[in-house]
Amino acid sequence: MSDIKIAPDDIKPDMTIDCKGLSCPMPLLKTKKAIQKLQPGQILEVLGTDPGSRNDIPGWCERAGHEYLGEKQDQGFIRFYVKKGQ
Amino acid sequence: MSALKRTYENLCTKHWSPMLGGILLAFLVVLLEAWYRPWGIVGGLRNWADWLFYHLGLYDEPPTFHPIFSSTSSILDIGLIWGAFISAALGREFGIRVPPKIEFIKAVVAGILMGIGASLAMGCNVGGFYMAVNNLAANGFIMLIGLIFGVILAIKYLYWELEHFPSSGGFEISFQKINPFLGVIALIGLLVATKAYFGSDLDRGEILGGCLILAAGIGYVMHRSRFCMVNALREPFMTGDAEMGKALTVSLILSAVGIAILKYNGIRPESAYVTPTFIQGALIGGFIFGFGMTVAGGCGSGSLWRVAEGQIKLVIVAIVFALTNSLIRHFFAEHEVIENGYLGKAIFMPEYLGYAGTILLIALVVLVWYIVIDWNEDSNKLVLEM
């Protein structure tokens, strides 16, 4: 049973992708594609509405060697933050 | 007070692990089959579409069973959506999620393919694969083979789509504040409806009531653990993740042992869910269904619990899936496609292997499957490059 990780307040993303309204597996696929364009250490912000992303994104980060920084609740969507690994 | 709050969080807001979901799902489908019948999805959807087409004048005969008063298939789907809605609402996860435009087109195409696939395999991934395997029918594993190839093709399509049609602009209409309130109302409604069935004068009132509440349990468990057979079959090829796949293998063998006991002891007919689709119906149907469900982002059961969560794309998938399946099965009935054996033979594995041999075979298949996806989790050998 997973706990939700809340992102720190002072995150400045280098890129933002819009996955609002999309359902599994599209948010994760778009995240996977977007992170290819970033340099290690840069931060990707994913805007989403699918509760499944709460499992998918952290799980994938761990597997793919990226750092999952957490999420922030916004008006009607969630912001997820991923720091690209080496 | 904190113990109460913690318990609520554990039961109603945190996501359960896929493994817990898989084990509870196995428990519930064995209970349901002991109660009255095997679990199914597409039969209920088709029943609703049959009813609609009859009232539109397209079909001459009404469906044999009424969606509310006599069809257990229909009640199973209503129960699943109901239970999943309770889970979504209590967990503050219900909201109307409107996807970008391209997802609407994908939903229609995927729904049509799922309708065709589930006609050929005489069941979606639930009746044609999961419940077929654990009812010891040979067509179950054949559909699995078809599903895997359909999933692989669909992943390639999704990669291609991402390159050529990047989409954005979806949104959610959120009901977070009133969500728990809706959940409690739905829970009370479920209990009242179940009691009404048990106390009714209907021919099979008690049977329907049991089906409703057990299916609601299935819906609750699936939503809380986000148990998804598309995810289980897709992830080894997309990200290498094997968590859901492992949960599915455990769920399969547990439910197979339970249902084998029911059939061995004559509690359910051995022929239950053994459909004449071995080999061609299950294989081709599985392939088409596998492609469709991956583009849809939800299989038979996964689409329904996502409907309950407010995902508009899956609402469209479910509707188109139901309508297509009804039309094709109507066509099959008129031309006696199933009766003539065009889809294949019905093979109940214990007739050839005995009960013990069949359980060993299923155990062996899921064990090999488990080992392969576990190995792939480290090696990523099966993952398709983007």
Side-chain angles (χ1 to χ4, degrees):
Chain A
M1 301 189 192
S2 50
D3 285 302
I4 290 166
K5 183 175 175 183
I6 305 294
D9 277 336
D10 54 350
I11 291 185
K12 289 200 178 59
D14 296 284
M15 188 201 269
T16 298
I17 55 170
D18 176 11
C19 298
K20 295 197 289 282
L22 289 171
S23 54
C24 189
M26 300 314 286
L28 186 58
L29 271 180
K30 289 183 77 166
T31 305
K32 208 179 156 186
K33 186 171 163 56
I35 206 131
Q36 291 175 346
K37 297 181 187 143
L38 293 180
Q39 299 299 321
Q42 288 192 308
I43 292 171
L44 176 68
E45 179 183 50
V46 182
L47 315 181
T49 57
D50 184 14
S53 297
R54 286 198 161 128
N55 305 345
D56 296 347
I57 295 179
W60 170 74
C61 284
E62 200 178 328
R63 295 190 37 70
H66 306 302
E67 188 184 348
Y68 178 63
L69 301 174
E71 65 167 69
K72 277 189 220 167
Q73 187 70 47
D74 206 312
Q75 292 286 347
F77 63 94
I78 309 169
R79 297 171 185 271
F80 298 95
Y81 295 94
V82 177
K83 189 177 188 180
K84 181 165 180 170
Q86 293 301 321
Chain B
M1 193 59 212
S2 69
L4 260 180
K5 186 162 176 273
R6 244 191 342 264
T7 304
Y8 180 81
E9 281 178 357
N10 284 335
L11 286 178
C12 306
T13 64
K14 283 186 185 173
H15 289 167
W16 297 352
S17 72
M19 188 59 80
L20 178 61
I23 293 168
L24 290 176
L25 178 65
F27 174 63
L28 286 166
V29 300
V30 173
L31 289 188
L32 179 65
E33 190 145 343
W35 175 253
Y36 183 64
R37 57 160 288 174
W39 179 40
I41 299 289
V42 69
L45 292 174
R46 185 171 63 244
N47 175 262
W48 303 347
D50 286 349
W51 203 254
L52 177 76
F53 283 139
Y54 168 70
H55 283 285
L56 289 176
L58 202 64
Y59 298 166
D60 298 333
E61 303 274 328
T64 318
F65 298 108
H66 186 280
I68 302 290
F69 300 122
S70 63
S71 167
T72 54
S73 301
S74 162
I75 296 301
L76 290 183
D77 287 352
I78 293 171
L80 192 147
I81 295 174
W82 206 327
F85 176 77
I86 293 171
S87 167
L90 290 179
R92 291 183 193 267
E93 290 178 329
F94 174 75
I96 305 294
R97 296 172 174 91
V98 183
K101 283 197 195 81
I102 184 173
E103 297 296 321
F104 286 90
I105 302 167
K106 281 161 72 183
V108 172
V109 175
I112 291 173
L113 293 174
M114 288 164 75
I116 297 170
S119 302
L120 292 169
M122 290 185 68
C124 58
N125 61 304
V126 172
F129 156 57
Y130 179 80
M131 293 304 299
V133 169
N134 62 26
N135 274 274
L136 319 180
N139 50 292
F141 280 133
I142 301 298
M143 187 179 189
L144 174 63
I145 296 169
L147 285 171
I148 289 172
F149 284 101
V151 167
I152 290 174
L153 187 66
I155 294 173
K156 294 193 169 178
Y157 161 75
L158 290 175
Y159 286 179
W160 177 86
E161 179 202 299
L162 231 46
E163 290 291 336
H164 295 86
F165 297 99
S167 61
S168 63
F171 58 92
E172 176 185 338
I173 304 164
S174 175
F175 302 95
Q176 266 206 359
K177 291 220 171 73
I178 57 165
N179 250 323
F181 176 69
L182 295 175
V184 171
I185 298 214
L187 178 59
I188 294 169
L190 174 69
L191 299 176
V192 170
T194 306
K195 187 162 188 311
Y197 271 123
F198 274 86
S200 74
D201 301 331
L202 294 172
D203 270 351
R204 303 188 296 169
E206 291 182 350
I207 287 168
L208 293 166
C211 287
L212 179 71
I213 198 142
L214 285 169
I218 290 174
Y220 192 90
V221 163
M222 292 191 99
H223 182 268
R224 205 86 311 269
S225 60
R226 302 194 78 80
F227 193 85
C228 174
M229 294 191 215
V230 180
N231 184 304
L233 297 176
R234 181 190 64 215
E235 290 307 302
F237 300 105
M238 211 178 88
T239 61
D241 185 27
E243 197 181 5
M244 194 66 74
K246 288 175 180 175
L248 178 58
T249 59
V250 171
S251 192
L252 269 174
I253 187 66
L254 290 179
S255 54
V257 171
I259 291 169
I261 290 172
L262 297 178
K263 288 194 167 184
Y264 184 83
N265 284 318
I267 296 167
R268 282 298 149 250
E270 291 187 322
S271 62
Y273 268 39
V274 184
T275 55
T277 54
F278 182 87
I279 289 177
Q280 58 271 37
L283 191 64
I284 302 168
F287 178 73
I288 298 172
F289 191 89
F291 184 88
M293 73 176 189
T294 310
V295 173
C299 58
S301 50
S303 293
L304 288 194
W305 66 250
R306 285 184 178 87
V307 164
E309 189 177 78
Q311 309 267 15
I312 295 299
K313 179 183 177 189
L314 281 309
V315 173
I316 296 167
V317 168
I319 292 171
V320 177
F321 176 30
L323 297 176
T324 312
N325 190 259
S326 168
L327 290 172
I328 294 178
R329 286 294 290 266
H330 190 73
F331 172 84
F332 280 6
E334 282 186 336
H335 295 82
E336 300 193 328
V337 169
I338 294 163
E339 293 78 358
N340 285 329
Y342 294 150
L343 301 178
K345 290 198 185 89
I347 304 278
F348 181 58
M349 289 190 283
E351 276 178 21
Y352 298 84
L353 305 169
Y355 274 89
T358 303
I359 291 294
L360 281 175
L361 176 69
I362 296 173
L364 187 69
V365 171
V366 299
L367 186 66
V368 169
W369 180 359
Y370 189 101
I371 292 170
V372 167
I373 58 179
D374 185 77
W375 159 80
N376 178 57
E377 212 167 20
D378 288 330
S379 68
N380 282 340
K381 283 278 199 292
L382 299 176
V383 176
L384 301 168
E385 283 302 319
M386 212 167 199

